[in-house]
């Protein structure tokens, strides 16, 4: 006589195996507690399944956001709430807050934070890019000099095309500290390639301490190359001007 395998324990073991195979961890964790709640509150079968599916969707969404944030390579996480609006002598707060609607991403437009050192350019740009991550956009953070060094090494190794893709693929490329360190002619050409290839294809958020008229200093005093960079970068762009003393000198100023 054949043993009957359709016992509650066997049914549950089979269910757990199927949920593991289907990679439904939230469903696996919640189906028993949800079943107890469903029994107490007289849920319908669709209500029970909908509740489990909703929890699974939320878990996957949270994991996707966490992966985007990890891939963005933010050195630190920043928020708009953490910015000290009272320190810069000049900043258009309404302009900055409006950027967080992310309308510029729809138009593949660029945002440039321009100002002296220690005024929160990196804070605001990182907060804006982090907000874009939370809203489902892919982001990559990199300093300008890191882009140059990475692509110079890639060019020397014969893999420029492959490594260039990581700067072209994200919805948002955050280029930090353009102009802080000098670059040679090769580096200037590679930065131009990144900016040119992203033109009207993906947004750039950029921080710089140099006024646009001084940008030839960044690009080896090549007026033609500088003009080409600015033409592509500023065609669809919004510039946030920040003025004042460095925030890092705040304690000394207050003494």
């Amino acid at each position: 006589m054949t043993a009957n395998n359709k016992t509650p324990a066997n049914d549950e073991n089979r269910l757990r195996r199927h949920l593991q195979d289907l990679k439904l961890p939230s469903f696996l964790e919640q189906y028993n507690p949800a079943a107890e709640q469903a029994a107490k509150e007289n849920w319908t079968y669709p209500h029970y399944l909908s509740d489990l599916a909703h929890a699974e969707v939320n878990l996957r969404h949270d994991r996707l956001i966490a992966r985007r944030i990890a891939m963005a390579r933010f050195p630190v996480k920043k928020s708009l709430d953490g910015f000290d609006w009272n320190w810069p002598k000049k900043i258009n707060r309404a302009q900055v807050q409006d950027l967080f609607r992310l309308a510029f991403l729809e138009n593949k437009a660029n945002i440039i934070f321009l100002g002296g050192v220690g005024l929160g350019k990196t804070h605001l740009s990182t907060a804006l890019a982090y907000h874009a991550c939370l809203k489902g956009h892919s982001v990559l953070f990199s300093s300008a000099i890191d882009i140059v060094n990475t692509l110079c090494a890639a060019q020397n190794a014969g893999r420029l095309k492959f490594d260039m893709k990581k700067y072209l693929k994200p919805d948002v490329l955050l280029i930090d500290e353009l102009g802080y360190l000098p670059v040679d002619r090769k580096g200037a050409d590679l930065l131009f390639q990144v900016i040119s290839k992203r033109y009207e294809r993906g947004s750039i958020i950029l921080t710089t301490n140099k006024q646009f008229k001084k940008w030839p200093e960044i690009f080896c005093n090549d007026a033609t190359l500088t003009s080409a960079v600015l033409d592509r970068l500023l065609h669809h762009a919004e510039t946030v001007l920040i003025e004042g003393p460095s925030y890092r000198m705040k304690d000394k100023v207050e003494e």
Side-chain angles (χ1 to χ4, degrees):
M1 187 173 180
T2 304
N4 185 1
N5 290 326
K6 290 187 175 294
T7 65
N10 287 336
D11 286 343
E12 182 165 0
N13 288 336
R14 184 173 59 177
L15 173 61
R16 296 183 68 86
R17 288 197 304 272
H18 289 336
L19 293 176
Q20 289 170 346
D21 291 343
L22 291 169
K23 295 181 172 56
L24 297 172
S26 177
F27 205 119
L28 181 61
E29 181 182 348
Q30 296 296 326
Y31 78 87
N32 259 331
E36 293 175 2
Q37 186 176 1
K40 290 178 182 178
E41 300 180 10
N42 295 318
W43 288 1
T44 63
Y45 292 129
H47 184 170
Y48 171 67
L49 292 173
S50 176
D51 194 72
L52 289 171
H54 181 70
E56 191 68 46
V57 167
N58 285 342
L59 176 63
R60 293 192 178 193
H61 177 265
D62 291 346
R63 287 182 170 180
L64 181 59
I65 294 298
R67 282 198 298 271
R68 285 200 186 101
I69 292 171
M71 292 175 66
R73 298 180 182 176
F74 296 116
V76 291
K77 295 177 185 177
K78 295 291 186 179
S79 70
L80 193 59
D81 291 339
F83 186 75
D84 186 353
W85 296 100
N86 296 318
W87 182 253
K89 287 187 175 180
K90 180 179 180 181
I91 185 171
N92 189 331
R93 182 171 182 172
Q95 178 193 22
V96 174
Q97 290 174 328
D98 186 66
L99 294 176
F100 281 72
R101 296 190 303 110
L102 303 178
F104 69 95
L105 293 179
E106 299 175 9
N107 301 319
K108 308 294 190 293
N110 306 315
I111 306 299
I112 301 165
F113 290 91
L114 192 158
V117 298
L119 289 174
K121 300 183 301 297
T122 298
H123 182 131
L124 290 173
S125 62
T126 302
L128 183 58
Y130 181 74
H131 183 65
C133 268
L134 296 180
K135 295 299 181 181
H137 298 279
S138 56
V139 173
L140 177 63
F141 178 107
S142 180
S143 69
I145 199 66
D146 280 347
I147 293 176
V148 168
N149 290 340
T150 298
L151 293 182
C152 280
Q155 192 172 54
N156 293 336
R159 61 172 194 272
L160 178 60
K161 186 176 181 180
F162 177 80
D163 281 22
M164 178 70 75
K165 288 180 181 178
K166 75 178 182 180
Y167 298 112
L168 306 181
K169 187 176 180 180
D171 298 331
V172 180
L173 175 63
L174 198 170
I175 304 177
D176 194 35
E177 298 184 334
L178 179 66
Y180 283 77
L181 294 173
V183 296
D184 59 15
R185 177 63 197 222
K186 181 192 243 184
D189 286 340
L190 290 169
L191 274 177
F192 169 72
Q193 287 187 51
V194 172
I195 292 170
S196 179
K197 290 176 184 294
R198 288 191 63 88
Y199 175 63
E200 294 187 333
R201 296 180 183 177
S203 294
I204 291 174
I205 300 175
L206 184 145
T207 72
T208 182
N209 64 331
K210 290 190 180 295
Q211 298 176 5
F212 298 132
K213 66 182 180 181
K214 294 185 177 180
W215 275 34
E217 298 173 8
I218 302 173
F219 294 96
C220 297
N221 291 306
D222 186 325
T224 302
L225 179 61
T226 303
S227 178
V229 168
L230 287 172
D231 179 66
R232 287 160 177 77
L233 193 63
L234 298 181
H235 183 209
H236 307 292
E238 188 169 347
T239 301
V240 178
L241 181 63
I242 311 175
E243 296 179 355
S246 170
Y247 188 83
R248 300 181 188 99
M249 300 296 292
K250 183 179 180 181
D251 292 339
K252 292 184 179 181
V253 170
E254 291 176 347
E255 288 178 356

